[in-house]
Amino acid sequence: MQKAGERPTAYAATGDTTYGLDLDAVTACTRGAHQSPYQAQGASPLLALPICGCHDCSVRAEISNRIRDAAAGFAATLVLVTLVVLAIRADVAAPHASTWLVVLDVATGIAFVVAAALAPGSNAERGLMAAVGAAWLTASFLPAARSLPQAVLVVSLIAFPTGRVRGLSRWLLVGLAVPVAIGLLPQIAVAALFALVTLLVLIEGRPDTATGYPTVAAITVAATLGASWSVARWRADVFDPTVALVGFELVLLAVAIAFPVAAQAVIRSRARLADRLLAGERLTGLDGFAVVLGRVLGDPSVQVFRWHSPDVGYVDEGGRLVPAGGGDRRWLTVDDPDGRVAVVAHQSLVLDDPPTADAVAAAVRLAVRHLRLQEEQRQQLAELEASRARIVAAADRERERAATQLRQDVGPSLQRAQSELTAVRPATRHPAVAGSLDVVVTELATARDEIVELVAGVPPAQLGGGRLRAALDTVAQRSPVPVSVTVDADAAGDADTESAFFYVCSEALANAVKYADANRIDITVRRVNSAIMATVSDDGQGGANPSGSGLQGLADRLATLNGRLRVDSAPGAGTTVTAVVTD
């Protein structure tokens, strides 16, 4: 196709660039508290130049930046106006020129520059987009540059949205754009190059706006160039260069107009990245977070390693040292004001975009902080449970000590006193004295029975290692209701576990005797996989209250051993109390 001003037969323009320069803010002055060298040497005050404070320097830097921005904007505007004037003059002087063709031609170039100026995002990408427009206008009056816009557009689409080219395959396509820029490739080869751009973006990208825009733009340009070349080659009798050129320019206008929209969509996607990572799924450690992050980035190789300490470095979920850096993966370091936080190992080109990398880093910081809080809570809970276990164990030891004293000291003493008084009772002839002795002997017997009943619910101090069976047999023998005791040989536990089971069985047995009106009680202790389970069941009236103080106390006791208590007591169906403790 032929364009006013001897332009190339077909032009493609799309991408995302920006008008303007990326001028970083000048770093705030760090010398505000220092003297001038002249002042330090005691020189004349006229030579002692004042050193501005940090606030003054930041204000001056801001003013300097604004002046440079204004100068750069003025220079860019001057260049654009010059290119527009030269393009108009060349288009008007071309054969078969018309006003609307000239307007469309100039509007196409201006559209890319304006789109670059309006679009947010990477200055590098916006600069490439502005370069497409400048190259388009230049080609109007400089025939040697007629293929330059297509080459710049290829680079712009490859570099979207960061404006940087990463990876060998992308650099190869950039290399193919060089012969396009100097007009060495035919139109069909240029169309094929845009098709390759589409294929590469689809293979290496991810399914979101950062991939969608360059894909649609490149395939549309490729289709337009390929169609015009095919019609010109195979249907030359119906081929109209003006129609082909107008169609191509309309495609380029659409690409330019879509660029700010796509750039804004990418920014919104980045802003939602942390929410997408931290919401919707329950995180299960950094490994689970890495799976979600890899899914979002389209990189299944993503791993996240937490910073441990300067002496250790980065560690994985299991605490193993991970040497950061090297290999075929890239490493995104995540820091906060307190120091290092984590590192993300990945192979994703998406994280080459600084705003996207910042969004990922923010999400990683939140995830690590969340996991640290969870670990602190688990540690505090473990300390609380250990403290409660120590309190229960101390109370048990004190109870067992008191029971041992009652058994070994008080009980035998009462027995001896009762025996001695019973022996002297027949020799007593005075009725009043004999009656008093009878009362004392009866009280001593009652006291002995109460002591026996009191210490019956306290286990022997030597429980553990399978001694639970003997302790439960002793309790069962004192029961007025028939009790069967079954303890498997492999159900032995440590002292704390067997003590807890003893209290559970004793309390459940006492409740069954007092309240259940049971005729038979069965006690079974057995091992189930890695846990020991004790069951006390009766054939009584049922209806026991699981939240009663006695059963609740047993549940609390089992909780100190990471155990649990279940009570099944339907009215009329008896009661079954089950205690489980995992080794």
Side-chain angles (χ1 to χ4, degrees):
M1 66 183 72
Q2 190 74 21
K3 178 182 174 180
E6 297 298 323
R7 283 199 79 151
T9 55
Y11 293 89
T14 183
D16 3 30
T17 58
T18 183
Y19 158 71
L21 300 176
D22 184 10
L23 300 176
D24 296 332
V26 178
T27 304
C29 175
T30 59
R31 301 177 299 162
H34 298 278
Q35 283 185 318
S36 164
Y38 296 103
Q39 291 175 328
Q41 297 172 7
S44 169
L46 295 176
L47 298 178
L49 301 177
I51 302 300
C52 65
C54 290
H55 176 71
D56 294 336
C57 282
S58 63
V59 172
R60 294 183 181 181
E62 178 66 20
I63 295 174
S64 176
N65 285 342
R66 291 185 179 181
I67 293 175
R68 286 192 296 171
D69 289 343
F74 176 78
T77 303
L78 182 61
V79 171
L80 176 61
V81 171
T82 301
L83 291 176
V84 169
V85 171
L86 293 176
I88 292 175
R89 290 180 58 184
D91 288 346
V92 170
H96 310 294
S98 65
T99 302
W100 68 274
L101 286 177
V102 173
V103 171
L104 183 59
D105 174 57
V106 175
T108 302
I110 294 177
F112 282 99
V113 178
V114 173
L118 296 179
S122 167
N123 283 342
E125 181 63 24
R126 295 166 63 210
L128 286 173
M129 176 62 75
V132 174
W136 179 266
L137 295 172
T138 302
S140 296
F141 59 86
L142 188 62
R146 63 183 181 274
S147 297
L148 183 61
Q150 296 158 307
V152 178
L153 180 58
V154 168
V155 178
S156 177
L157 294 180
I158 291 173
F160 184 84
T162 65
R164 291 191 296 251
V165 179
R166 301 282 186 172
L168 178 61
S169 57
R170 294 177 180 251
W171 275 112
L172 288 176
L173 291 184
V174 171
L176 291 176
V178 174
V180 173
I182 58 180
L184 296 181
L185 296 182
Q187 181 173 323
I188 189 61
V190 177
L193 180 58
F194 278 98
L196 286 177
V197 171
T198 301
L199 183 61
L200 177 65
V201 172
L202 288 176
I203 292 176
E204 295 188 353
R206 64 185 194 275
D208 61 5
T209 307
T211 297
Y213 172 74
T215 300
V216 174
I219 197 62
T220 303
V221 172
T224 304
L225 291 175
S228 64
W229 179 87
S230 299
V231 172
R233 183 176 180 83
W234 306 110
R235 299 292 302 275
D237 56 326
V238 298
F239 178 70
D240 187 345
T242 302
V243 173
L245 177 60
V246 170
F248 186 68
E249 289 179 331
L250 291 177
V251 168
L252 296 185
L253 282 173
V255 170
I257 294 172
F259 171 69
V261 178
Q264 183 62 47
V266 170
I267 291 179
R268 287 198 301 267
S269 178
R270 293 167 181 161
R272 295 192 301 265
L273 181 58
D275 294 337
R276 292 163 59 193
L277 289 175
L278 300 177
E281 293 190 36
R282 185 176 180 85
L283 298 180
T284 55
L286 285 182
D287 289 344
F289 176 81
V291 171
V292 179
L293 178 58
R295 190 179 304 129
V296 172
L297 298 179
D299 179 12
S301 70
V302 170
Q303 288 182 290
V304 181
F305 305 113
R306 188 189 310 185
W307 176 256
H308 185 275
S309 65
D311 296 334
V312 177
Y314 295 101
V315 296
D316 61 11
E317 193 76 13
R320 294 177 292 273
L321 176 63
V322 176
D328 59 347
R329 294 195 293 180
R330 304 179 183 187
W331 301 82
L332 173 64
T333 303
V334 180
D335 299 327
D336 64 11
D338 296 329
R340 297 184 178 180
V341 175
V343 65
V344 180
H346 65 95
Q347 294 177 325
S348 175
L349 296 175
V350 177
L351 293 183
D352 290 337
D353 178 30
T356 302
D358 292 342
V360 170
V364 171
R365 278 190 287 269
L366 289 175
V368 171
R369 187 178 299 114
H370 175 73
L371 293 174
R372 285 176 177 171
L373 290 176
Q374 285 185 327
E375 290 178 354
E376 292 176 0
Q377 290 177 347
R378 283 194 295 267
Q379 183 178 0
Q380 292 174 355
L381 180 60
E383 293 175 353
L384 179 61
E385 291 177 346
S387 175
R388 185 169 63 172
R390 289 193 297 269
I391 293 174
V392 171
D396 287 345
R397 288 193 297 270
E398 187 64 23
R399 188 181 296 109
E400 292 166 1
R401 185 188 64 79
T404 299
Q405 289 182 343
L406 289 174
R407 288 193 188 102
Q408 296 178 356
D409 299 335
V410 180
S413 298
L414 292 178
Q415 175 66 34
R416 286 193 300 270
Q418 182 182 2
S419 299
E420 292 174 359
L421 291 176
T422 301
V424 302
R425 170 65 178 78
T428 303
R429 300 182 180 277
H430 194 285
V433 175
S436 298
L437 288 175
D438 290 339
V439 172
V440 172
V441 170
T442 302
E443 291 295 330
L444 287 174
T446 301
R448 285 187 61 247
D449 293 340
E450 289 179 351
I451 289 175
V452 170
E453 183 178 356
L454 177 64
V455 300
V458 180
Q462 66 274 16
L463 278 183
R467 300 183 182 92
L468 177 62
R469 171 61 186 266
L472 292 179
D473 286 339
T474 301
V475 174
Q477 291 171 3
R478 298 192 184 100
S479 173
V481 178
V483 179
S484 68
V485 178
T486 303
V487 180
D488 292 348
D490 62 347
D494 58 22
D496 292 338
T497 300
E498 292 195 356
S499 295
F501 282 143
F502 180 86
Y503 282 112
V504 170
C505 294
S506 298
E507 180 71 17
L509 178 60
N511 290 340
V513 171
K514 292 180 182 179
Y515 309 115
D517 194 20
N519 296 318
R520 180 176 178 80
I521 302 172
D522 297 316
I523 299 176
T524 303
V525 181
R526 59 193 179 95
R527 179 173 292 276
V528 180
N529 297 326
S530 62
I532 301 176
M533 182 171 64
T535 303
V536 181
S537 58
D538 64 65
D539 59 355
Q541 60 187 3
N545 181 13
S547 61
S549 59
L551 294 176
Q552 187 60 49
L554 296 177
D556 294 340
R557 175 184 291 275
L558 289 172
T560 64
L561 302 174
N562 292 324
R564 61 185 185 276
L565 183 73
R566 188 180 75 244
V567 179
D568 300 314
S569 185
T575 300
T576 299
V577 178
T578 304
V580 180
V581 174
T582 302
D583 288 348

